[in-house]
Amino acid sequence: EDQVTQSPEALRLQEGESSSLNCSYTVSGLRGLFWYRQDPGKGPEFLFTLYSAGEEKEKERLKATLTKKESFLHITAPKPEDSATYLCAAQTGANNLFFGTGTRLTVIP
Amino acid sequence: SAVISQKPSRDICQRGTSLTIQCQVDSQVTMMFWYRQQPGQSLTLIATANQGSEATYESGFVIDKFPISRPNLTFSTLTVSNMSPEDSSIYLCSAGRQGNEQFFGPGTRLTVL
């Protein structure tokens, strides 16, 4: 059965305190691993797509990496505006996105 | 990227009625999808909206309850039929091109009394 698991469920960081979010996946025929940011009351905002193990992508304070079993979203020196829920999703052969339950990040000034 | 709008942004409906949600994309896209996000939970795919043919539904979702139309490459509608309080949720439209990233609309927050 296809499964995407994110940890931790919630994370509180001091401003400037770097950390990583984990996304473990068990899917058949992975075509891509997606990261989204979701603010309260809004739709998910696209961040990254990773297609193969060893791939890395960066955007401002965020860096996403991918292995054969999991993906990490590294946040370097976060700011309060980085507070959001971060979702990962595995794309299977049918172009469907299978989402994890998300990590709710709070960055305290 | 694609910019996606949804109407209405929110609604409060009575049990037994139906609501149609509209999704408009600012450019032609291959794929359009409808998701549901229940309170405190992640997104669950309802169906893929196919242009010019019947939608493809995921397990647990049926056409009689969630009829979908996609008359062209930039527009789709989702109807939530014969609503009950369990249908209270956020409904999200997404769009993308074959094999590429999906972009999401802002969502429609539905409350059923």
Side-chain angles (χ1 to χ4, degrees):
Chain A
E1 179 183 336
D2 293 343
Q3 192 166 9
V4 176
T5 303
Q6 291 188 247
S7 62
E9 287 187 16
L11 181 63
R12 290 172 63 90
L13 298 174
Q14 293 290 327
E15 185 172 0
E17 179 187 3
S18 301
S19 187
S20 295
L21 313 182
N22 177 263
C23 172
S24 299
Y25 62 91
T26 307
V27 300
S28 54
L30 180 76
R31 298 186 64 172
L33 193 291
F34 290 68
W35 283 97
Y36 289 86
R37 167 190 172 131
Q38 187 173 28
D39 293 297
K42 297 188 176 181
E45 174 190 344
F46 172 76
L47 293 174
F48 304 108
T49 309
L50 303 166
Y51 293 103
S52 57
E55 188 175 1
E56 298 183 353
K57 289 192 177 175
E58 289 188 64
K59 179 180 179 180
E60 296 181 357
R61 295 177 292 281
L62 302 177
K63 183 169 79 172
T65 62
L66 182 66
T67 72
K68 289 187 178 180
K69 293 184 178 180
E70 55 193 350
S71 178
F72 294 93
L73 184 65
H74 308 276
I75 303 176
T76 303
K79 298 182 178 182
E81 53 262 42
D82 295 321
S83 298
T85 295
Y86 291 85
L87 300 167
C88 76
Q91 185 181 46
T92 65
N95 284 299
N96 299 349
L97 290 181
F98 192 79
F99 279 84
T101 52
T103 294
R104 188 173 64 256
L105 174 66
T106 303
V107 182
I108 304 163
Chain B
S1 66
V3 177
I4 302 169
S5 59
Q6 286 184 233
K7 288 195 294 187
S9 59
R10 59 178 61 224
D11 208 340
I12 301 173
C13 300
Q14 295 297 318
R15 182 195 300 260
T17 63
S18 298
L19 176 72
T20 296
I21 303 168
Q22 298 179 7
C23 176
Q24 179 73 53
V25 188
D26 69 340
S27 58
Q28 292 188 348
V29 290
T30 311
M31 317 289 289
M32 292 185 75
F33 303 90
W34 287 97
Y35 289 82
R36 182 172 73 182
Q37 187 173 29
Q38 294 184 303
Q41 298 189 25
S42 194
L43 285 73
T44 301
L45 180 66
I46 297 172
T48 302
N50 301 309
Q51 194 263 328
S53 64
E54 195 170 283
T56 305
Y57 290 84
E58 296 300 303
S59 176
F61 298 96
V62 296
I63 188 171
D64 290 346
K65 176 68 175 177
F66 298 102
I68 289 170
S69 78
R70 189 178 172 193
N72 57 51
L73 291 176
T74 63
F75 185 78
S76 178
T77 66
L78 168 76
T79 299
V80 186
S81 302
N82 188 25
M83 288 184 285
S84 66
E86 292 71 37
D87 295 319
S88 297
S89 188
I90 298 172
Y91 292 86
L92 292 148
C93 169
S94 75
R97 296 180 179 82
Q98 188 83 15
N100 291 327
E101 54 267 16
Q102 289 183 27
F103 298 93
F104 283 81
T108 296
R109 184 180 296 270
L110 172 62
T111 302
V112 184
L113 303 177

